[in-house]
């Protein structure tokens, strides 16, 4: 039972570590989403200011 718990903890914590795999873990995904949201805000502001 302890081995199973250890394996699960290592698996879920590995999602939070930085990876050199192009951002395929949870942190990388969140960063990509934040970049896209920032771009959307920029586009909306530009459109609003041009009117």
């Amino acid at each position: 039972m302890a081995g199973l718990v250890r394996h699960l903890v290592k698996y879920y914590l590995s999602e939070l570590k930085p990876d050199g795999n192009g951002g395929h873990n949870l942190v990388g995904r969140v960063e990509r989403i934040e970049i896209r949201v920032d771009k959307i805000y920029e586009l909306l502001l530009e459109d609003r200011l041009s009117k």
Side-chain angles (χ1 to χ4, degrees), residues 39-51:
K39 184 63 177 171
I40 291 170
Y41 281 138
E42 289 175 14
L43 292 172
L44 289 172
L45 284 173
E46 288 175 5
D47 184 53
R48 178 68 69 142
L49 293 175
S50 67
K51 289 183 178 181

Side-chain angles (χ1 to χ4, degrees), residues 11-29:
Y11 172 76
Y12 287 113
L13 289 179
S14 71
E15 285 289 319
L16 302 175
K17 291 192 308 186
D19 68 332
N21 197 14
H24 293 290
N25 62 7
L26 180 63
V27 175
R29 292 177 190 150

Side-chain angles (χ1 to χ4, degrees), residues 1-16:
M1 184 67 175
L4 177 63
V5 171
R6 180 179 176 187
H7 173 72
L8 289 173
V9 169
K10 287 178 87 174
Y11 172 76
Y12 287 113
L13 289 179
S14 71
E15 285 289 319
L16 302 175

Side-chain angles (χ1 to χ4, degrees), residues 3 16 18 23 25 30 36-39:
L16 302 175
N25 62 7
V30 170
R36 289 179 182 170
V37 169
D38 289 342
K39 184 63 177 171

